[in-house]
Amino acid sequence: VKYFITNQDIEFVIVGAGAKKEWLVEETKNFTNIKHYMPVEYATLPDLLCSADLHILFAKNDVVDTVMPSKLLGMMASAKPSVVTGSLDSEVAKVFDKAQGGYFFDSDDFESVVKSIEELVFDTIKSKKMGENARKYIVEHFASTKVLADFEKKVQEVIDN
């Protein structure tokens, strides 16, 4: 965030209460463009996600997941682009490549994260297109009707065999 200290056009809203919350608040207390909030109720989460211009999610390289984190699904469903870090071998990286709904970087590639944030903030056309791509991908692959239909098909296959 120190890369953005002189750019008051970019505001960071950090929502959460994780293990490093106190440390993060202390480290960023002199930044006027950073606001901290506690987690919101589940019912208001979609409104919060839709109010952002873009989402940022940092994950460690050593986390090679087999499922999509639910917070990422909500971020993509908000029709806003996301900048995400983590293992390039993860399922999330593959989804981002297919969805074209934002950027995914190795956790150690902070320079690219900074550049992509600047790009998405100032290129509103690209940002809007990526957000639309993210939303479309979620609707096509994770909507309840799609998931339930696929589940029903798999159950029927097991029954038939």
Side-chain angles (χ1 to χ4, degrees):
V1 175
K2 66 183 178 184
Y3 299 95
F4 299 103
I5 194 167
T6 59
N7 188 340
Q8 295 300 307
D9 294 331
I10 300 175
E11 180 180 61
F12 292 88
V13 175
I14 301 171
V15 179
K20 295 220 174 197
K21 171 79 174 187
E22 289 181 27
W23 172 85
L24 185 60
V25 169
E26 181 63 27
E27 289 293 310
T28 60
K29 69 182 178 186
N30 295 322
F31 292 83
T32 59
N33 58 342
I34 299 177
K35 308 291 186 239
H36 292 273
Y37 298 96
M38 294 301 289
V40 299
E41 293 181 23
Y42 183 74
T44 60
L45 183 59
D47 291 336
L48 173 66
L49 293 172
C50 290
S51 71
D53 292 324
L54 68 100
H55 302 285
I56 304 167
L57 178 64
F58 294 103
K60 296 178 182 175
N61 280 345
D62 59 355
V63 177
V64 181
D65 46 17
T66 57
V67 297
M68 286 286 291
S70 60
K71 66 179 82 175
L72 193 56
L73 294 176
M75 289 164 43
M76 293 176 74
S78 74
K80 307 296 175 146
S82 298
V83 176
V84 180
T85 68
S87 170
L88 297 176
D89 296 324
S90 70
E91 184 66 22
V92 175
K94 293 172 189 160
V95 165
F96 262 76
D97 184 51
K98 291 176 193 171
Q100 297 296 298
Y103 293 111
F104 191 97
F105 299 106
D106 181 277
S107 294
D108 298 325
D109 190 1
F110 194 70
E111 185 176 317
S112 292
V113 170
V114 170
K115 287 179 182 177
S116 67
I117 292 169
E118 290 173 333
E119 176 187 331
L120 290 171
V121 166
F122 296 109
D123 188 343
T124 56
I125 294 170
K126 184 173 199 168
S127 182
K128 183 173 172 48
K129 179 63 178 160
M130 284 185 153
E132 290 168 352
N133 290 347
R135 170 90 180 155
K136 181 180 179 200
Y137 187 87
I138 293 301
V139 168
E140 289 176 357
H141 295 89
F142 292 97
S144 60
T145 54
K146 168 76 172 135
V147 171
L148 291 174
D150 288 350
F151 177 72
E152 186 177 83
K153 181 179 175 186
K154 292 285 185 196
V155 168
Q156 193 59 50
E157 288 174 7
V158 169
I159 292 170
D160 290 343
N161 288 328

